[in-house]
Amino acid sequence: MQYPLIQIEIQHQQRLFIPDPEKVKFIYEQQLAKDPLTPFPFWAKIWASSTALSGFLKAHPNWVQGKSVLEIGAGIGLPSFTIAQLASNVLISDHAIEAVELMQKNIAYLNSNNIQAACLDWNHFPNQIKADTVLLSDINYAPEQFESLLHLLKKFIEEGSTIILATPQRIMGGPFIASLQTFIQETHICSVKENEQAIEISILLLRSK
């Protein structure tokens, strides 16, 4: 792990390792100076949508209680770790190897026996993975990824999964949400404070009608 870690509290007496936010930017800028093509480590930050999704699930545990849960593009995996004690089993996934390594560190630290972490890319997602509830937060930010991501979400919906998607209200993400309009059964708006600003996050519940 190239980023120094700190601990945060996610539940009463339950803590999680995350990359130190102040160090991530500094280390990334050093790497960028050496190689201008260095990608930003989006996985290494707890985004507002992830915080909103975690809060929503704590307030509405029925969506994960006793269920098999899958989080796609999880990054640090805050929502999954927040509800892990409620779920029957949890699979946390991300395409970034470093993200998965951190998930595994937190799984070991929490001594959780119902959580697994996997390096998975939604462009090439294994067909055999099933889940009662699929979690995603802030994943509709790159239009070139929309087609494959929509295909994957529709597959899960057709298989009977409930999709819970948390998204900031970005203009570029609008077409992605519009493509899922047929499946949206509930919409909840949450406000999350980030850098002294309130960010509105939409929580969408998608199911087959």
Side-chain angles (χ1 to χ4, degrees):
M1 181 68 59
Q2 61 179 313
Y3 299 108
L5 302 177
I6 60 172
Q7 282 191 328
I8 60 167
E9 185 171 309
I10 60 169
Q11 302 263 34
H12 179 60
Q13 295 184 335
Q14 185 178 11
R15 303 179 71 81
L16 203 66
F17 287 105
I18 67 167
D20 185 335
E22 294 183 4
K23 302 292 177 57
V24 169
K25 182 180 179 182
F26 175 73
I27 293 173
Y28 171 68
E29 289 176 348
Q30 286 185 319
Q31 294 173 334
L32 199 62
K34 296 177 182 176
D35 180 2
L37 298 179
T38 300
F40 183 79
F42 289 104
W43 66 269
K45 174 181 175 179
I46 294 180
W47 298 89
S49 291
S50 182
T51 301
L53 181 55
S54 299
F56 174 82
L57 293 172
K58 284 195 288 187
H60 303 85
N62 56 295
W63 295 111
V64 293
Q65 182 83 49
K67 299 183 184 298
S68 61
V69 177
L70 165 68
E71 186 172 3
I72 301 173
I76 290 170
L78 178 64
S80 288
F81 284 110
T82 299
I83 57 88
Q85 294 178 338
L86 299 174
S88 171
N89 58 81
V90 180
L91 177 60
I92 320 175
S93 68
D94 198 277
H95 75 282
I97 294 175
E98 283 188 292
V100 177
E101 290 174 345
L102 180 58
M103 295 171 194
Q104 291 169 336
K105 178 180 179 67
N106 278 314
I107 290 171
Y109 172 72
L110 296 171
N111 195 27
S112 299
N113 56 17
N114 69 328
I115 315 176
Q116 290 183 306
C119 191
L120 299 173
D121 184 339
W122 63 54
N123 294 291
H124 309 285
F125 211 83
N127 286 326
Q128 68 270 23
I129 294 179
K130 312 294 181 184
D132 298 317
T133 304
V134 180
L135 308 177
L136 307 101
S137 58
D138 207 349
I139 44 77
N140 53 315
Y141 56 84
E144 68 274 10
Q145 299 284 327
F146 287 177
E147 184 176 353
S148 58
L149 187 53
L150 285 169
H151 177 76
L152 179 61
L153 296 191
K154 288 178 180 179
K155 179 190 84 72
F156 276 112
I157 291 172
E158 290 170 1
E159 292 173 349
S161 300
T162 296
I163 310 288
I164 306 181
L165 169 64
T167 177
Q169 298 172 358
R170 293 193 190 101
I171 293 176
M172 71 174 63
F176 179 86
I177 301 303
S179 299
L180 292 168
Q181 196 64 44
T182 303
F183 306 107
I184 298 176
Q185 294 198 352
E186 294 182 26
T187 300
H188 302 261
I189 306 298
C190 303
S191 182
V192 175
K193 196 170 185 179
E194 184 176 83
N195 298 326
E196 302 304 318
Q197 290 186 331
I199 301 176
E200 284 200 342
I201 305 296
S202 298
I203 307 287
L204 309 177
L205 274 70
L206 315 175
R207 301 181 76 182
S208 178
K209 294 184 178 180

